[in-house]
Amino acid sequence: MDRLYGTALRLTRNPDDAEDIVAEAIEKAWSKLDELRDPDCFQGWLFHILNNTFISEWRRRQSRPPFSSDDDAPTLDECDSEDFSLFRQLHQPFLLWWGNTEERFLNELLQEELQLALDALPDPFRVVLIVVEVQGYSYAETAEMLGIPVGTVRSRLNRGRSLLQKSLWQQASDAGIAVNRPGNEGASP
Amino acid sequence: MTRRTLTCEEVIEQLFDYLDQELDDQRQADIEQHLAKCRDCFSRAEFERRLRDRMEALTQVPAPHRLHRRIRSLLDQFDDESNSTT
């Protein structure tokens, strides 16, 4: 129940809405229980219903179809964030792993900070990130679930990751963890 | 014929596809082989994996008591309905 609610909360960003879609998903699951062929798949099946419930509700609340095009959310600033890599910003190759900046960053990163950064992402990017990175759906499954092409899933993932990491970089800079080294952007890896 | 080994640039380009398990078995194996040998690329992959784990942990939120009560009540209602139809 906690993971179901937690996922709903990350998708909706609102505790009341999260409770509503969990309850609705359980209600739908109950009514479709005879469609579940393999009881071992119950959990995945329930999460799938939860996602679909969220998407339906999300669509209902929008004045235009959600997730339908690639140009509905990103602003100019967001587009600038494409391919931003937090690792590239933090990494100092001459330091050892256990004493390095990225390790320190991960150790000091608070869940609340990560949550704020994730919740601040525009819906199309946040939802694709949650479905793929957290829930582990394939790009094809995500595309089908959201009714968008696989290429759009891919581009939203790229932008979503870049935006999230840029936001975390800002936090790291503010906390004094990050040292901006001119010329490191674009370096490999 | 010997397979060409991947460069760091190629590995980083496909790193998220690798982490998302979107590559075919051979390409997944090629990248794993590169990561086993290349410390910089391994560090990058490890960083992205750990960041992802932290994100996954965000979905472990205790469901409020109110929701537990609501679900219990729903399940009772389902039970009543199924009992009345049998």
Side-chain angles (χ1 to χ4, degrees), chain A residues 6-35:
Chain A
T7 302
L9 188 58
R10 292 282 73 78
L11 287 169
T12 61
R13 294 181 285 197
N14 177 295
D16 291 337
D17 290 344
E19 286 188 33
D20 285 346
I21 69 161
V22 169
E24 197 178 330
I26 288 176
E27 207 168 344
K28 282 179 184 168
W30 179 264
S31 67
K32 294 178 179 177
L33 205 54
D34 53 348
E35 292 175 19

Side-chain angles (χ1 to χ4, degrees), chain A residues 1-3 5-7 10 16 19-20 23 26-27 30 85-87 91 95-97 102-103 106-107 109-111 114-115 118 132-134 138-139 154 161 164-165 189, chain B residues 8-9 12 16-17 20 22 39-41 43-44 46-48 50-52 54-64 66-68 70-71 74-75 77-79 81-82:
Chain A
M1 174 74 93
D2 291 349
R3 185 167 279 278
Y5 173 72
T7 302
R10 292 282 73 78
D16 291 337
E19 286 188 33
D20 285 346
I26 288 176
E27 207 168 344
W30 179 264
S85 162
L86 182 57
F87 180 87
H91 187 56
L95 292 176
L96 296 171
W97 167 251
E102 61 267 23
E103 176 71 359
L106 285 169
N107 288 339
L109 174 67
L110 299 174
Q111 285 303 89
L114 183 56
Q115 182 194 315
L118 181 64
V132 173
E133 290 208 352
V134 176
S138 70
Y139 296 173
R154 202 177 275 279
R161 284 171 180 140
L164 182 75
Q165 297 204 359
Chain B
C8 291
E9 198 179 4
I12 295 308
F16 285 109
D17 282 351
D20 294 333
E22 289 287 329
R39 201 180 113 184
D40 274 356
C41 289
S43 299
R44 170 79 189 266
E46 205 50 26
F47 178 81
E48 302 296 351
R50 289 182 61 189
L51 194 56
R52 182 175 293 220
R54 296 288 298 271
M55 218 159 73
E56 197 180 339
L58 289 177
T59 59
Q60 289 165 339
V61 183
R66 189 175 63 172
L67 180 60
H68 279 284
R70 186 170 169 185
I71 300 305
L74 258 181
L75 296 177
Q77 190 187 320
F78 297 151
D79 267 350
E81 282 169 13
S82 57

Side-chain angles (χ1 to χ4, degrees), chain A residues 37-54:
Chain A
R37 290 194 180 92
D38 181 0
D40 289 342
C41 298
F42 178 76
Q43 194 175 323
W45 180 70
L46 186 55
F47 273 89
H48 195 75
I49 293 176
L50 181 85
N51 287 347
N52 285 336
T53 305
F54 165 74

Side-chain angles (χ1 to χ4, degrees), chain A residues 62-110:
Chain A
Q62 303 301 309
S63 54
R64 55 193 168 141
F67 312 117
S68 58
S69 73
D70 217 8
D71 58 357
D72 52 357
T75 63
L76 189 60
D77 183 48
E78 287 161 0
C79 289
D80 287 345
S81 298
E82 191 140 19
D83 292 334
F84 181 90
S85 162
L86 182 57
F87 180 87
R88 277 204 300 255
Q89 298 291 339
L90 293 168
H91 187 56
Q92 297 176 40
F94 51 87
L95 292 176
L96 296 171
W97 167 251
W98 55 85
N100 63 26
T101 322
E102 61 267 23
E103 176 71 359
R104 189 177 154 215
F105 168 81
L106 285 169
N107 288 339
E108 295 188 13
L109 174 67
L110 299 174

